[in-house]
Every structure is written in C-alpha cells, then in structure tokens.
Amino acid sequence: VPIVLVCNRDHELRAFVNVCRHRGSLLCDGVGRRETLQCPYHAWTYDLDGSLRNAPRADTEPGFDREGLSLVPVAVGTWGPFVFVNPDPAGGTLEEHLGDLPRLIAEGGVDVDALVFYQRAETEYEANWKVCVENFLECYHCAVAHPSFSKAIDIAPGAYTLEEQPTFASQYGPAKNGGGGVYDAVGEVDCGQFHLLFPGTTINVMPGRGNLSIGPIVPRGAERTYRSLDYFFLPEADERWIADYLELDRQVGAEDRVLVERVQTGMRSGVIRHGALMPESERLIAHFERLLVDALGAEQ
Ligand code: FES
Ligand SMILES: [Fe+2]
C-alpha cells in the first residue's frame, strides 16, 4: 500500500494512503517540503491534514462536493526515530504490536532515542518473502553458511537463544569470547539481538558499539522479495568500526541471498510438498508459521 507521511508545522506526523481520490493516481513521490500535496494528473490539491483543498473547475462543475474526498488516513506511530504506519483500520496500536520489544532493546544497551540514521541498504531476492523470513529466523545455517558471522557471534546452541513472543520472534547471540571476527564485537552492547516483528520487519542489534538496523521484508510477487535495512548508530560512533560491521553485514547478506534463491529454485520443482523443521533449532519458523496462519484465518 503506497503511503505518504507528512509532518506539519506543529511537528505532528500524519500518514495517508498515497493515492489521489480523483481517479486513483499515485499522489507524491520522494521527499520534499511543501504546504500542500498536489496530484500531478489533474492537480487536485490536498492540505496536509488530508482534506481536499481545491480541484480545477470545482466551482463550475455542477454538484461537485469536496467533502468526502479527503485522502484516506492510516494509523501512524513512532518508537524512537522509527515511524510505523498501518493501513488496516481494525489493526491495534503500535504499542500493542511492539509489546516488550522496546524494553528488550533498551535492556540490551541500545538507547533508540540516541540513534542517528546512517544509511539504507536495499536488496531484491528471487524468492518468496516467507523463504526470506524463515531464513532470518534460524541460525542453524550459520555455522555452515556464515563463517565470518560465526567468528564474531557465539552461535553454539547453549549460547545462542531463541524466544517466541506474541507478535515477534527473537534470537540472541552474544559476542564470541575473545572475538577474532572481522569486526570488534566487544563493547557496551554485549549480546546481539535479531528480532522479526510479525509479519516482516527485522530489527537487529549486533554486539559491540551502539547500533541498530531495521527494515521490512516485502513481497513483490510470489517469487520476488524486496528488503531494505536502515542502519542507525550513535552520533559519536567510530567510522572504522561502522565500516567493519557493515562489511560483515554485507557479506552475510550475500551469503543469505544464495541460500534463499536456492530454496526457491528447489521449491519451484514442486516435488517436495513440505519441509521438515528441526523442533528446537528451527522453532521460530514454526512460531512464524502459526502467526501467519492465524493472521490469514486459515485452518491449522
Ligand atoms: S487522479 Fe489525481 S487529480 Fe486526477
Ligand atoms: Fe543467514
């Protein structure tokens, strides 16, 4: 669902479906500073509160009524520097959906209010979004497929822990004793946190300096997935440390791309009707699938 987010003079955030009420064109592109939102198709113009201010010839077209032609509002909520929107009017509040997540991140040594945006990484995968989510939800493959990650993070079953939560799934990986990884995992954050906020938002903290990355896994088709990840660090963060950490993350991402695209190719064969989950190491996948089935209202 295309969304436009606006911030008015009083610094109030509002979000709308980014679709013109006239004949449904996309309304806005990119980022800008404006007093109004104007559709590029026939110049219908909306105030920042979403109401239709003007439409060319509105005064001469008989019976034109601008009431009821406001932009469709969507719920908006914030957590530190992160803005969430929800186009489902029956959806609960952001606080309900986040649950204990803000507390867990804070207790892990990350003050989200102190974080500053650093950069966005964008990727597309030739795989179904659920294959990407399932790959994110287990570190059973880490020892095999992520040698550099496994040097920095303790992925042994006793150290690396999994936790089901009502609206998310969490993995905790402490820095490996003695380090030895490609980046310095020893710092004020002693344990990595990798959360999947249902259905597809990943929130990651690596051990070491204050950091967090966050972004959605978005279906773009049955076999295509878009993912973006916004990296945040503390303002005084050391550039060398950031570069080492980003290089590790880039490497892990490249390794995961191969894994998920190979799964998609295998599944596409249609020969395997379903997989076989490891009851402990892959239990977060089972949790995700239960949440998904509940959300879809399908039969278990
Ligand atoms: S579709 Fe937007 S003004 Fe016509
Ligand atoms: Fe992976």
Side-chain angles (χ1 to χ4, degrees):
V1 178
I3 299 290
V4 54
L5 183 74
V6 301
C7 181
N8 69 15
R9 285 180 187 281
D10 299 324
H11 300 282
E12 293 161 340
L13 285 176
R14 285 186 196 192
F16 306 98
V17 177
N18 185 22
V19 174
C20 180
R21 292 298 305 274
H22 177 213
R23 293 216 336 268
S25 167
L26 282 181
L27 187 60
C28 307
D29 302 281
V31 177
R33 181 183 286 257
R34 290 185 56 99
E35 299 287 321
T36 59
L37 305 176
Q38 187 173 67
C39 181
Y41 199 171
H42 313 90
W44 281 29
T45 306
Y46 301 87
D47 280 318
L48 296 187
D49 66 3
S51 57
L52 179 62
R53 173 191 285 213
N54 224 334
R57 306 184 199 174
D59 297 339
T60 55
E61 295 279 339
F64 182 82
D65 181 8
R66 72 194 73 196
E67 299 298 316
L69 291 172
S70 298
L71 295 175
V72 177
V74 303
V76 56
T78 59
W79 164 35
F82 319 128
V83 180
F84 294 75
V85 297
N86 187 349
D88 180 357
T93 64
L94 175 64
E95 288 67 31
E96 285 164 356
H97 196 61
L98 290 176
D100 280 340
L101 195 47
R103 181 179 62 75
L104 293 167
I105 296 284
E107 287 176 1
V110 177
D111 174 8
V112 294
D113 291 307
L115 294 174
V116 177
F117 174 70
Y118 188 80
Q119 70 177 37
R120 168 171 295 184
E122 295 179 290
T123 339
E124 289 208 6
Y125 302 91
E126 278 190 49
N128 184 273
W129 72 280
K130 300 187 290 304
V131 172
C132 298
V133 167
E134 292 179 356
N135 177 66
F136 177 84
L137 285 176
E138 50 94 357
C139 204
Y140 183 40
H141 70 275
C142 292
V144 187
H146 298 314
S148 299
F149 180 84
S150 306
K151 276 194 192 121
I153 310 289
D154 193 344
I155 56 158
Y160 194 94
T161 57
L162 311 177
E163 232 171 66
E164 294 90 346
Q165 298 279 358
T167 55
F168 58 98
S170 306
Q171 301 169 77
Y172 297 94
K176 204 163 188 174
N177 248 345
V182 296
Y183 88 108
D184 181 11
V186 178
E188 65 268 23
V189 180
D190 51 15
C191 188
Q193 301 190 24
F194 312 101
H195 305 278
L196 179 92
L197 179 64
F198 187 80
T201 301
T202 67
I203 298 164
N204 314 283
V205 174
M206 288 289 272
R209 318 290 169 79
N211 73 91
L212 186 146
S213 64
I214 182 169
I217 294 172
V218 185
R220 282 278 160 89
E223 298 197 2
R224 195 143 190 98
T225 299
Y226 165 84
R227 186 171 177 197
S228 70
L229 205 53
D230 289 348
Y231 291 92
F232 290 76
F233 299 98
L234 293 175
E236 69 275 15
D238 169 7
E239 283 292 330
R240 183 71 241 164
W241 187 87
I242 292 177
D244 288 348
Y245 156 82
L246 290 176
E247 174 53 24
L248 172 65
D249 223 43
R250 191 203 54 73
Q251 195 175 329
V252 171
E255 290 158 354
D256 278 326
R257 159 186 304 286
V258 175
L259 302 177
V260 299
E261 294 187 347
R262 285 173 64 87
V263 168
Q264 188 65 46
T265 306
M267 290 201 321
R268 197 186 294 131
S269 71
V271 177
I272 307 294
R273 278 189 53 77
H274 58 75
L277 292 182
M278 298 300 274
E280 174 55 35
S281 304
E282 297 179 317
R283 49 178 241 248
L284 294 186
I285 295 180
H287 179 52
F288 165 71
E289 290 177 353
R290 277 191 292 268
L291 291 175
L292 191 64
V293 166
D294 286 350
L296 293 173
E299 291 193 358
Q300 298 256 13

